[in-house]
Amino acid sequence: MSRSSRRLVTVLAAATVASSLAACGGGGDDGDGGGGNSGGANEASDIGITEDSIKLGAHFPLTGVAAPGYSEIPTGAQAYFDHVNDNGGVNGRQVEYVYRDDAYNPTNTSQVVNQLVLEDEVFAIVGGLGTPTHSAVLDFLNSEGVPDLFVSSGSLLWGDDPETNPYTFGWQTDYESEGKIIGQYIADEFPDAKVGLFLQDDDFGEDGEAGIREFIDDQVVAAERYTPGNTAIGPQIAALQAAGADFVVGFNVPSYTALSQLAALQLGYQPQWFYSNVGSDPTLVGSLLNNFSQGKVTDASVLDGTLTTDYLPTVDEPDDPWVQLFQEIWDASGQEGELTNYRIYGMAQAYTTVQALQAAGQNPTRDGLVEAIETAGGDWEGPVLAPFRYSADSHLGTGGMSISRITGTSTEEVRPVQLTDVGDSEITESDVEAATPPENGIPDEESAVD
């Protein structure tokens, strides 16, 4: 069964989104626009908030080894914020989105985030990308009391310890929960497999490994790690082959998916592959394979049959109403390039950000924004396939994923959305009905603060 079929998308729902967007037009709304307005006047209520603007900041690898794919995320977010601004903004305020290049280098991340906070005076940091990079600014943002929203990484650092990091929130499924869902699937469907792990050598790989080992520790025959930036990973793949691993799980970024595939081709190594969601986009991996091999491997056909996970609808689901919404917004944005899964990620993350800003009230404060997410965030609906886990005790993001098999540039679901949490939380099949977009593509959350 395809994911499109599972989500029970109708042509009518998709057409409603498209026609509503066309009717909205741009910029002519003097009302509340983004919703959540309780009456009264806008005030300059905190750093980064004026009577008519909200300034948000972000760091992304716009250049360097991690730029392919990841550099597209902020362009998607920008397109969505522009759509919100064209329809009245959030409580009458325009969202000003400032994102800077850190080249996936933690030293650079510290520099650009300092600039965003101390010079640009942003209200909040939103969607900062990367486990090693964002780790470098975690303490700084929390010590400065800057809301650190929806980090683009599934590390437990962002949400599992709100007492230590009260201003930081995750967004995507954490890597330990993803590892658990993968581990259970392997235990059920491949109980005799000899499993090798190919892991980024930081919390990304460590958390994923911990989740997998909860279910198949006795099946793991080898675990090999790579350091981001070191592209000579042939020895690690050879070690997995030598250990007899006939099933390899990768918790790695897309460039290392391509590198691991090329290394396996050179070795004649053909295990069953399972890449975590982060590293599995077939279109991007195909482009990287072509570049890295200097045209000897021209596409991602070597990924056919590879398994992966999902927590968002993807571009290969053209009938999904969220994909149709984001396609309309992207086309109207006037930016170059096509809608990609990375741009869908940025738009979906921006959608949640607008929900948070609305819930923070007409005149938001930094502390009020945190309170709003803890109070109301667990009930928000949107593009993600599973509910958020936000509360005063947990700042973890969405808590579930489906499992799919890659064929060409498309994927087919092989296990529906599974819900879980960190630790010994059980895994259950989701019975949550997929949300559909609001008619104008903009959420309308009530204030959750006094």
Side-chain angles (χ1 to χ4, degrees):
M1 179 177 65
S2 70
R3 285 178 292 155
S4 297
S5 298
R6 174 184 57 77
R7 290 171 65 83
L8 301 178
V9 174
T10 67
V11 173
L12 177 60
T16 299
V17 171
S19 62
S20 298
L21 281 170
C24 283
D29 189 352
D30 293 328
D32 297 349
N37 198 319
S38 57
N42 283 353
E43 301 172 359
S45 51
D46 209 331
I47 295 170
I49 301 288
T50 70
E51 293 179 3
D52 54 16
S53 67
I54 302 170
K55 186 181 288 188
L56 305 176
H59 64 88
F60 286 93
L62 306 182
T63 60
V65 66
Y70 292 151
S71 62
E72 297 174 359
I73 293 174
T75 64
Q78 183 70 70
Y80 186 79
F81 288 136
D82 287 347
H83 174 71
V84 172
N85 289 339
D86 287 345
N87 288 277
V90 179
N91 285 330
R93 290 186 177 89
Q94 297 285 288
V95 178
E96 182 181 350
Y97 180 54
V98 183
Y99 58 93
R100 300 195 182 280
D101 181 21
D102 66 4
Y104 207 65
N105 181 314
T107 300
N108 295 345
T109 308
S110 295
Q111 294 172 349
V112 300
V113 170
N114 268 270
Q115 182 179 0
L116 288 164
V117 171
L118 302 177
E119 297 180 23
D120 297 316
E121 295 188 318
V122 298
F123 178 55
I125 297 293
V126 178
L129 186 136
T131 300
T133 45
H134 201 75
S135 296
V137 297
L138 182 63
D139 291 344
F140 168 70
L141 292 172
N142 280 274
S143 66
E144 292 290 321
V146 180
D148 179 21
L149 308 186
F150 316 141
V151 182
S152 298
S153 156
S155 172
L156 295 179
L157 287 170
W158 326 133
D160 196 38
D161 189 5
E163 186 173 344
T164 300
N165 301 307
Y167 289 89
T168 300
F169 292 82
W171 185 75
Q172 65 195 62
T173 310
D174 66 272
Y175 300 135
E176 181 180 316
S177 295
E178 181 176 14
K180 288 172 61 176
I181 291 168
I182 293 170
Q184 184 193 59
Y185 179 78
I186 295 171
D188 291 346
E189 303 295 332
F190 298 87
D192 298 322
K194 297 178 181 179
V195 179
L197 306 178
F198 179 61
L199 308 166
Q200 184 162 298
D201 193 13
D202 56 21
D203 288 349
F204 177 20
E206 291 173 9
D207 292 349
E209 179 181 15
I212 287 172
R213 287 187 182 274
E214 286 190 41
F215 287 87
I216 57 167
D217 188 45
D218 59 344
Q219 288 184 242
V220 176
V221 296
E224 294 293 324
R225 307 174 197 281
Y226 72 89
T227 301
N230 181 2
T231 58
I233 50 85
Q236 289 94 318
I237 304 303
L240 294 173
Q241 183 182 35
D246 55 19
F247 193 118
V248 175
V249 182
F251 272 79
N252 54 266
V253 296
S255 56
Y256 285 85
T257 298
L259 290 168
S260 61
Q261 287 296 311
L262 291 175
L265 284 172
Q266 291 177 338
L267 293 167
Y269 182 35
Q270 296 180 317
Q272 170 66 54
W273 294 93
F274 195 132
Y275 288 104
S276 72
N277 179 270
V278 166
S280 64
D281 183 273
T283 301
L284 175 59
V285 172
S287 174
L288 291 168
L289 283 165
N290 183 57
N291 290 338
F292 294 164
S293 70
Q294 297 182 332
K296 295 179 181 178
V297 179
T298 58
D299 56 31
S301 58
V302 293
L303 290 183
D304 281 359
T306 294
L307 297 162
T308 189
T309 50
D310 293 295
Y311 55 90
L312 283 170
T314 53
V315 289
D316 65 299
E317 300 174 81
D319 292 330
D320 183 279
W322 290 100
V323 175
Q324 293 229 346
L325 167 67
F326 294 146
Q327 184 69 65
E328 291 280 339
I329 292 173
W330 179 253
D331 291 343
S333 75
Q335 297 188 65
E336 294 183 0
E338 299 179 350
L339 182 68
T340 64
N341 289 330
Y342 294 95
R343 291 182 171 124
I344 285 177
Y345 180 102
M347 291 186 187
Q349 201 173 61
Y351 185 94
T352 309
T353 302
V354 171
Q355 290 177 299
L357 294 172
Q358 291 173 345
Q362 181 176 350
N363 290 305
T365 64
R366 285 172 164 177
D367 287 342
L369 180 60
V370 170
E371 178 188 346
I373 300 170
E374 291 181 340
T375 301
D379 295 325
W380 293 338
E381 295 183 340
V384 293
L385 304 183
F388 293 117
R389 292 168 283 176
Y390 300 134
S391 71
D393 298 321
S394 174
H395 288 185
L396 293 171
T398 183
M401 307 186 95
S402 62
I403 296 177
S404 300
R405 179 177 290 108
I406 297 172
T407 303
T409 57
S410 300
T411 55
E412 181 181 20
E413 183 183 89
V414 297
R415 178 166 287 189
V417 176
Q418 306 292 301
L419 304 180
T420 193
D421 208 339
V422 296
D424 59 2
S425 176
E426 294 183 358
I427 299 176
T428 60
E429 185 171 324
S430 176
D431 60 0
V432 178
E433 186 175 348
T436 54
E439 287 188 0
N440 65 354
I442 302 171
D444 187 15
E445 301 294 336
E446 295 294 326
S447 174
V449 297
D450 296 331

